[in-house]
Amino acid sequence: MKATHLFCCLLALCFSNAAWCQSVYRFQYNFHQPSDSISYNAFFIRYDDGSGLLRVRYKLPASGEDVLVETDVEENYLNDPIPAKNDTGPLFLKTVNPRFIIGNNNIRFNPPFFQFRYNARSKFYEPAAVTAVATKEAMNPRTSFTAALVEKSGLNKAFVSAFFSEDEDFYINLLKPATKGLSQAEKNTKLFLLLVADTLDKEIGPACNIDVVRTIETFKGLTDYLGIKFLPQTITGANYSKKNVELAISALKPAATDIIVFYYSGHGFRKQEENRRFPNIKLKTNHTSKQDVYMNSLNIEDVFASIIKKPSRFNLVMSDCCNNDIETTNATGSKPGQTKASGIDWNETNCRSLFLNPARMSVLTTAAENGQRATSKNDFGSFFSFFLTSSIKNYGSSLKSNVSWDLLLQDTKTQTIFKAKHTYCDKPYIPENICNQYPAYKIVFGNGK
């Protein structure tokens, strides 16, 4: 077990340089059309989970009136039910829900549509084009478009104040971060991370191993930033068993100010006779019968119940697995597109809201509702886990404000549903076989009684 733990930690350190999943760009573009010859200056944020935010500033040609518009950003497949089967096809980002920060709704605004292309050398998607309508066609030759990734050092007052006022939460979080840090008593907080993954499974083992690495990296980054104690334990490989999981949970001895995080990646299933919302997790790699599976499984809700009996102030229990019949396994899809990170750091206020809130709280979340399958890819990991750890980083960073676990999990759910709807759960590749995967969660306050 110690060797596996060390191996995972080393992998986590390798991942750390590219861990942050927010990309900030400055876009400048002009369509040079008779109906639109405005020069636009834009602040663009893209998160690895596919969501994002755009603020674009410009002057109206006739009056010189200053206009600032904000939109949300979402991935778009242009009416294709399923994207290309490879992992390097074009990435389309659509701007939606425009809101006027300066100006009013009577002003005409053309929401831009951005195209990103995969760079085989950098292994990232990079902005390549802008169009005035959602299209796969090449950018009009008349259009001028420049894009620059803004590193953390470039997010200074001169740049940010062109798009955000000094009293906005975004500006305050980014340029006036909390500096007092944790008290010495708070730094004594321990975060117990118990990771359980079926890394030897022939079908999904490689994805499970990536999930472990990604989860360790996320919580190591968080604890390093806060300066609290990080106590990870992995139950993987030859140590993977129901007995070891039960012993590890029993051995957790948190204080009233501590944090417990339990994470599972592997096979899951439901028992039709029980009709429970949350799945059973299979804790034996090689089984001999259905009864053997049943005897070597736990329901994740029972794991949650065992953990919240402990005095820890915050508990997070996560499972990434199917919640379907015992014979099914994960569906496979293409990788989510990733862009180069800008190196945005954690934010103390947001981290306190999520993990150091004095009010006792426990969260249980799983990848799929009753009767559904989870989605993954062996050289990338499980999609729900990816979107969940991305959301933890997003909501814990300086690019978010007024954060909560409900908002974080709703974002995770939205992105997982969208990804599943662009993945086939079965062959043949017809619309009837498109996946439905709706992550489930519940939040319990106090002792949950």
Side-chain angles (χ1 to χ4, degrees):
M1 187 178 299
K2 290 182 179 178
T4 303
H5 172 219
L6 177 60
F7 173 69
C8 289
C9 286
L10 290 173
L11 283 176
L13 291 175
C14 293
F15 270 42
S16 62
N17 288 335
W20 279 97
C21 47
Q22 302 96 352
S23 305
V24 179
Y25 295 94
R26 180 172 187 171
F27 292 160
Q28 294 177 301
Y29 59 96
N30 190 320
F31 297 116
H32 293 293
Q33 297 293 321
S35 60
D36 188 353
S37 59
I38 295 171
S39 293
Y40 297 96
N41 187 24
F43 183 105
F44 184 93
I45 305 170
R46 182 187 181 268
Y47 303 109
D48 264 357
D49 65 9
S51 63
L53 183 78
L54 172 79
R55 280 210 175 181
V56 57
R57 196 158 197 166
Y58 57 96
K59 292 187 180 297
L60 296 177
S63 63
E65 181 182 352
D66 189 27
V67 180
L68 177 64
V69 182
E70 178 180 273
T71 75
D72 298 317
V73 175
E74 61 183 31
E75 289 190 14
N76 184 271
Y77 290 112
L78 297 176
N79 300 319
D80 288 348
I82 300 293
K85 286 297 173 186
N86 62 59
D87 296 319
T88 59
L91 181 65
F92 302 101
L93 298 175
K94 183 179 181 181
T95 55
V96 296
N97 305 321
R99 305 172 290 275
F100 284 84
I101 309 301
I102 301 175
N104 60 69
N105 292 332
N106 295 323
I107 298 171
R108 181 184 175 189
F109 173 69
N110 293 324
F113 184 81
F114 298 102
Q115 300 180 19
F116 281 59
R117 300 284 173 176
Y118 184 74
N119 185 324
R121 185 172 298 177
S122 69
K123 309 298 184 185
F124 291 111
Y125 277 85
E126 298 173 354
V130 61
T131 58
V133 294
T135 177
K136 286 185 177 180
E137 303 302 321
M139 187 171 66
N140 190 306
R142 294 182 182 178
T143 299
S144 61
F145 175 62
T146 61
L149 180 72
V150 182
E151 302 283 355
K152 180 181 175 181
S153 59
L155 291 169
N156 50 44
K157 182 176 181 179
F159 175 58
V160 176
S161 61
F163 304 95
F164 297 88
S165 62
E166 294 187 10
D167 60 349
E168 288 188 272
D169 288 339
F170 183 94
Y171 182 100
I172 294 169
N173 279 357
L174 196 61
L175 296 181
K176 299 178 181 178
T179 56
K180 70 173 186 177
L182 273 61
S183 67
Q184 190 55 52
E186 288 175 318
K187 288 184 178 181
N188 289 327
T189 299
K190 296 185 288 292
L191 189 151
F192 296 89
L193 176 60
L194 179 55
L195 301 112
V196 181
D198 197 354
T199 56
L200 297 183
D201 183 82
K202 293 179 180 179
E203 294 174 319
I204 62 171
C208 294
N209 194 61
I210 291 172
D211 294 341
V212 169
V213 172
R214 187 174 278 134
T215 305
I216 289 176
E217 174 270 313
T218 299
F219 289 100
K220 185 178 188 305
L222 171 70
T223 54
D224 282 353
Y225 170 77
L226 291 173
I228 64 177
K229 298 178 180 1
F230 182 49
L231 301 174
Q233 179 183 353
T234 59
I235 300 177
T236 60
N239 296 304
Y240 182 75
S241 71
K242 177 181 177 180
K243 178 182 178 182
N244 284 341
V245 172
E246 291 178 324
L247 287 173
I249 293 173
S250 178
L252 292 171
K253 305 296 181 186
T257 56
D258 291 338
I259 300 164
I260 295 177
V261 177
F262 178 95
Y263 172 78
Y264 172 78
S265 176
H267 287 295
F269 63 94
R270 65 187 176 108
K271 296 179 182 178
Q272 292 184 350
E273 63 271 22
E274 292 183 351
N275 195 31
R276 300 182 70 172
R277 183 186 185 192
F278 290 89
N280 298 288
I281 57 176
K282 185 173 78 71
L283 296 170
K284 185 176 181 180
T285 298
N286 299 312
H287 56 276
T288 57
S289 65
K290 184 176 180 179
Q291 188 60 33
D292 190 25
V293 174
Y294 280 9
M295 291 178 62
N296 289 280
S297 301
L298 293 169
N299 189 278
I300 194 64
E301 199 164 14
D302 294 336
V303 171
F304 181 67
S306 296
I307 287 174
I308 65 174
K309 288 179 181 177
K310 298 178 183 292
S312 42
R313 180 187 38 76
F314 178 71
N315 304 295
L316 174 61
V317 175
M318 308 171 283
S319 61
D320 198 324
C321 59
C322 293
N323 195 359
N324 205 338
D325 295 335
I326 198 167
E327 295 84 6
T328 58
T329 188
N330 294 45
T332 300
S334 58
K335 297 178 185 178
Q338 293 182 280
T339 49
K340 188 176 181 181
S342 292
I344 310 301
D345 209 346
W346 298 92
N347 175 272
E348 183 185 317
T349 299
N350 291 345
C351 290
R352 281 182 177 276
S353 296
L354 295 174
F355 292 96
L356 297 174
N357 195 310
R360 190 172 198 264
M361 182 171 67
S362 301
V363 176
L364 170 63
T365 184
T366 195
E369 283 279 10
N370 197 330
Q372 297 177 347
R373 292 164 63 181
T375 52
S376 64
K377 188 164 187 181
N378 272 341
D379 63 349
F380 180 81
S382 302
F383 297 146
F384 167 73
S385 293
F386 169 72
F387 292 128
L388 179 56
T389 53
S390 292
S391 290
I392 289 172
K393 293 173 185 176
N394 293 340
Y395 279 82
S397 80
S398 296
L399 297 182
K400 291 285 187 179
S401 57
N402 301 317
V403 306
S404 71
W405 275 103
D406 190 55
L407 290 173
L408 187 158
L409 293 168
Q410 282 293 335
D411 250 13
T412 303
K413 183 174 181 177
T414 298
Q415 301 307 324
T416 305
I417 291 170
F418 182 79
K419 178 61 181 172
K421 287 189 178 298
H422 294 86
T423 301
Y424 287 112
C425 268
D426 292 295
K427 293 181 180 180
Y429 296 143
I430 57 177
E432 290 79 4
N433 288 333
I434 292 173
C435 293
N436 285 307
Q437 181 185 349
Y438 291 75
Y441 69 89
K442 70 176 183 180
I443 299 172
V444 175
F445 297 96
N447 294 322
K449 296 180 181 178

